Amino acid sequence: MSKIDPSVDDVVQEENMLAHATLPRGAQWLVGVAALALGGLAVVLGVGIVGAAVIGVLAFLIGYPLWALLVENKRSATDKLVTGLVWTAFAVAVIPLIWLIYTVVSRGAATISPEFLTFSMRSVTGDDQGGLYHALIGTLIVTGIAAVISIPIGIMTAIYLIEYGKGNRLAKGITFLVDVMTGIPSIVAGLFAFALFTLIMGPGTRFGFGGGVALSLLMIPTVVRSTEEMLKLVPDDLREAAYALGVPKWRTITKMVLPTAIGGIVTGVVLSISRVIGETAPLLVASGFNPNLNTNAFDDSPMMTVPVFIYTQLSEATAKGVEYAWGGALVLFILVMVLNLIARIVGTIFAPKTGR
Amino acid sequence: MSIQVKDTSIFYGDFKAVEDVTMSVKPKSVTAFIGPSGCGKSTFLRTLNRMHEVIPGAYVEGKITIAGQDIYGPNVDPVAVRRKVGMVFQRPNPFPTMSIYDNVLAGNKLNAKRMKKSEADTIVESALRGANLWNEVKDRLGKPGMGLSGGQQQRLCIARAIAVQPEVLLMDEPCSALDPISTAAIEDLIHELKSDYTIVIVTHNMQQAARVSDDTGFFNLKAAGQPGHLVEFNPTKQMFTNPDNPDTEAYISGRFG
Ligand SMILES: Nc1ncnc2c1ncn2[C@@H]1O[C@H](COP(=O)(O)OP(=O)(O)OP(=O)(O)O)[C@@H](O)[C@H]1O
Ligand SMILES: [Mg+2]
């Protein structure tokens, strides 16, 4: 082929290389509707709703890439297949969550009332109005104790591991122990606290502080881990910059490294609180049951908590008990949500500002 | 403050990065270090304010004295050394949580030094003027230091270093992120600072070394994987016109390798 005008030839070639046939716009909706119709047909034919959903999703996952393969090319078909799989996985993960939220809210909302939130279960029998005030206060106290124990220990451990221990034997040992602690079944933490205070205060001691100790065993490893990750994110350049200004190491840590990482640290701490606030097993064992309000965590008497309240109400197996259990679940759920919200807000407030 | 270095070798764990350096840096002068990448200029510079040992496993052998005092002596506090010997790094590293104003005052703030507002303002203004940054930032001192351009950030770091008034200033390629105008400003600044401070600067720019320094040290590697060493240390004039060592001449004139 003789090239008379190379520029014209180039243009033709470019078009051939860069463009290809494409599916019509909205193709995914077409396939989606078709898949939906197939699912509907399956329902009509007597397949269960779950089976029909599976059929519909599969039809979409196969049909859409296949069409793309026929009209477009292999890469585009792969793209559509993987995109479809990712969305399916996302839905599989999110649907149960939304369902759970919906169930808790719809079944718990009716129970929530000013009385429910301000009454305890003191001498409540039959259809008397009771409430979870005692459990709510107990949860706040027990979780507060756990936080007061875990946050300083956890943060200081992380500071040692990152700032002082870098790779020495002690640090490796501590890291190993923290990993082991992460894996402790929560009931074992409860049994440990129960056994500990049985030894110290006599057999059968169940009280708020014991519950706090049990929860702190579960909380410390998460605080250490999340704080460690945040401290690692502070570049060594910044530490060196502070040293070069004649700032001692401890001041560099307290006045520069911690403020730089504080947003992430606080977020991690709050999330670790919301993780232990719903623990039931360790509290059953370590802080026990109590229908009455008990605000003294150090008094040798059980302290009720919201998860244990839910458990007891459910085991009553009366209509009212089940109702109260859902109410308790909703209260717990709101507590966790509020904590997560706080974590997010704090995280954004303290995040280093770029000013751009 | 003169700096005397005698038979100093510098290690990263088992790896010997710099071998057997002996030199004498004159007080209130500018000394430049030149040499190919990886020959240990930064490493050597960092031993002069005991920053080297911050890296785990890193250590120094030999003797370094500043104003007659052995900075690696048994009872010497590295923090005290660093207060006398300031440093500007190769990459700008302003503190991300601090405003421009606070960054300049970081040396005082992090050390919890109390001062009057007017006093602080004076320090900030003179340090920023010194680093040729004042006019660009005077209207936004409260804004984060990270919001500046790379070159502005580097000048902010210079301002931060001179705000604590060290007696020796170490600069590791301070102009590698700067435009020619800022570079010229920094070079002028170095000339001014020379009357009060002893300055040691690492640079890859021969003209810069020739322009700003009184003495120059040429570092080189014998071969890849070998430790770096000081090939020649002489007054800059002599170094650039009539060097003692043929390797120096080859490097300076660009015939190297
Ligand atoms: N943190 C470290 N750990 C181990 N080795 C290092 C470390 N930093 C530098 N080195 C090594 O020490 C040698 C000297 O490095 P140095 O950074 O001092 O070179 P340089 O002369 O400053 O180079 P450049 O001009 O590229 O900045 C190099 O071989 C380098 O790989
Ligand atoms: Mg370097």
Side-chain angles (χ1 to χ4, degrees):
Chain A
M1 190 176 101
S2 66
K3 279 191 190 175
I4 301 160
D5 186 351
S7 65
V8 169
D9 194 47
D10 278 355
V11 168
V12 171
Q13 276 224 329
E14 252 174 44
E15 270 174 6
N16 288 347
M17 278 164 61
L18 295 178
H20 59 71
T22 47
L23 292 179
R25 275 171 59 107
Q28 67 267 45
W29 300 117
L30 275 176
V31 181
V33 168
L36 208 62
L38 199 64
L41 190 66
V43 174
V44 172
L45 291 181
V47 185
I49 195 92
V50 176
V54 171
I55 289 174
V57 169
L58 277 181
F60 184 85
L61 283 182
I62 296 169
Y64 190 37
L66 210 61
W67 191 11
L69 185 63
L70 293 177
V71 177
E72 297 184 346
N73 55 27
K74 197 159 158 246
R75 187 169 56 78
S76 143
T78 317
D79 174 38
K80 300 205 150 91
L81 177 65
V82 175
T83 311
L85 286 174
V86 169
W87 277 102
T88 311
F90 170 69
V92 167
V94 164
I95 287 172
L97 187 67
I98 292 175
W99 195 350
L100 184 125
I101 294 174
Y102 172 76
T103 315
V104 171
V105 172
S106 64
R107 304 195 63 165
T111 315
I112 304 271
S113 63
E115 292 78 28
F116 185 66
L117 293 177
T118 50
F119 283 21
S120 74
M121 294 301 278
R122 183 185 187 97
S123 49
V124 171
T125 51
D127 279 340
D128 292 355
Q129 172 72 45
L132 54 35
Y133 181 65
H134 60 310
L136 194 57
I137 297 297
T139 279
L140 294 181
I141 292 176
V142 169
T143 316
I145 290 171
V148 166
I149 298 174
S150 315
I151 294 171
I153 294 181
I155 290 182
M156 286 196 247
T157 305
I159 290 176
Y160 174 77
L161 291 177
I162 298 296
E163 304 289 337
Y164 292 94
K166 267 200 180 148
N168 71 19
R169 284 251 185 102
L170 180 59
K172 281 195 185 123
I174 293 174
T175 306
F176 176 72
L177 290 179
V178 169
D179 285 346
V180 171
M181 262 176 99
T182 316
I184 294 182
S186 59
I187 190 151
V188 175
L191 288 170
F192 168 79
F194 180 60
L196 179 70
F197 289 107
T198 295
L199 283 178
I200 298 174
M201 300 176 58
T205 308
R206 287 192 164 84
F207 66 142
F209 186 68
V213 169
L215 291 189
S216 73
L217 286 179
L218 300 169
M219 211 179 133
I220 288 173
T222 31
V223 175
V224 174
R225 274 279 171 233
S226 61
T227 308
E228 256 187 296
E229 292 309 317
M230 288 306 131
L231 293 180
K232 275 187 205 156
L233 286 182
V234 178
D236 280 339
D237 287 8
L238 294 182
R239 296 187 176 86
E240 293 192 351
Y243 298 153
L245 292 169
V247 181
K249 186 164 183 167
W250 70 273
R251 273 193 197 282
T252 303
I253 294 169
T254 54
K255 305 206 110 188
M256 196 282 292
V257 177
L258 285 181
T260 307
I262 191 75
I265 293 176
V266 174
T267 308
V269 163
V270 177
L271 290 179
S272 74
I273 293 176
S274 67
R275 209 190 91 31
V276 297
I277 204 168
E279 281 292 349
T280 318
L283 296 179
L284 270 173
V285 179
S287 63
F289 310 85
N290 193 344
N292 305 319
L293 179 64
N294 172 10
T295 51
N296 187 349
F298 298 94
D299 183 35
D300 184 2
S301 65
M303 183 178 269
M304 199 60 164
T305 49
V306 177
V308 176
F309 173 86
I310 298 172
Y311 173 82
T312 5
Q313 289 303 317
L314 206 57
S315 44
E316 303 258 307
T318 60
K320 187 182 141 203
V322 172
E323 205 179 280
Y324 276 20
W326 280 111
L330 180 56
V331 169
L332 196 57
F333 180 77
I334 291 170
L335 271 182
V336 173
M337 277 301 164
V338 168
L339 282 173
N340 280 286
L341 205 66
I342 292 176
R344 282 186 164 265
I345 292 171
V346 167
T348 36
I349 289 177
F350 285 116
K353 292 153 193 68
T354 58
R356 284 192 205 271
Chain B
M1 303 259 256
S2 70
I3 306 172
Q4 308 289 335
V5 180
K6 205 160 172 294
D7 303 329
T8 297
S9 297
I10 309 164
F11 299 81
Y12 288 103
D14 297 333
F15 175 64
K16 191 190 230 182
V18 178
E19 188 170 55
D20 248 353
V21 173
T22 299
M23 70 166 70
S24 154
V25 174
K26 290 201 280 294
K28 304 201 172 174
S29 71
V30 178
T31 303
F33 295 155
I34 57 173
S37 187
C39 66
K41 305 176 298 294
S42 299
T43 303
F44 179 71
L45 196 71
R46 288 162 56 91
T47 59
L48 298 180
N49 68 343
R50 297 196 58 168
M51 284 300 281
H52 179 63
E53 65 207 49
V54 167
I55 294 161
Y59 64 98
V60 178
E61 277 175 3
K63 186 167 172 138
I64 301 178
T65 60
I66 293 183
Q69 287 181 306
D70 183 356
I71 61 167
Y72 283 91
N75 295 322
V76 172
D77 179 4
V79 173
V81 174
R82 293 180 200 135
R83 287 200 182 140
K84 297 263 177 243
V85 187
M87 182 157 199
V88 176
F89 295 81
Q90 202 163 343
R91 266 174 299 169
N93 49 7
F95 296 118
T97 49
M98 297 185 192
S99 63
I100 294 170
Y101 187 92
D102 287 345
N103 256 291
V104 178
L105 285 178
N108 297 307
K109 291 230 158 164
L110 292 176
N111 274 321
K113 206 175 274 174
R114 297 195 170 279
M115 58 172 85
K116 281 201 226 72
K117 177 86 170 76
S118 59
E119 198 185 338
D121 288 346
T122 320
I123 293 177
V124 170
E125 180 168 350
S126 68
L128 284 173
R129 277 191 196 283
N132 191 33
L133 189 59
W134 175 250
N135 287 328
E136 282 155 80
V137 301
K138 63 169 184 271
D139 299 323
R140 47 168 169 158
L141 292 174
K143 291 273 159 58
M146 294 294 280
L148 298 174
S149 79
Q152 290 171 329
Q153 288 185 19
Q154 184 66 311
R155 281 177 282 154
L156 180 61
C157 293
I158 294 174
R160 180 175 72 185
I162 58 181
V164 291
Q165 304 193 311
E167 299 185 42
V168 179
L169 197 58
L170 309 175
M171 300 178 138
D172 193 349
E173 297 181 41
C175 301
S176 57
L178 301 189
D179 68 299
I181 295 171
S182 306
T183 302
I186 300 291
E187 288 179 10
D188 288 345
L189 170 67
I190 292 172
H191 269 297
E192 281 169 33
L193 294 175
K194 195 167 97 171
S195 51
D196 299 319
Y197 305 90
T198 305
I199 295 172
V200 184
I201 176 171
V202 172
T203 176
H204 278 293
N205 182 331
M206 296 306 140
Q207 288 82 31
Q208 184 170 62
R211 278 194 301 265
V212 301
S213 71
D214 303 300
D215 294 309
T216 301
F218 171 53
F219 286 80
N220 201 357
L221 292 161
K222 283 197 187 86
Q226 296 275 318
H229 63 289
L230 182 64
V231 175
E232 181 172 347
F233 188 82
N234 267 322
T236 303
K237 273 222 180 71
Q238 184 190 341
M239 200 83 159
F240 281 83
T241 52
N242 184 21
D244 290 343
N245 192 299
D247 285 348
T248 314
E249 181 170 15
Y251 183 75
I252 289 174
S253 59
R255 289 179 284 108
F256 192 77

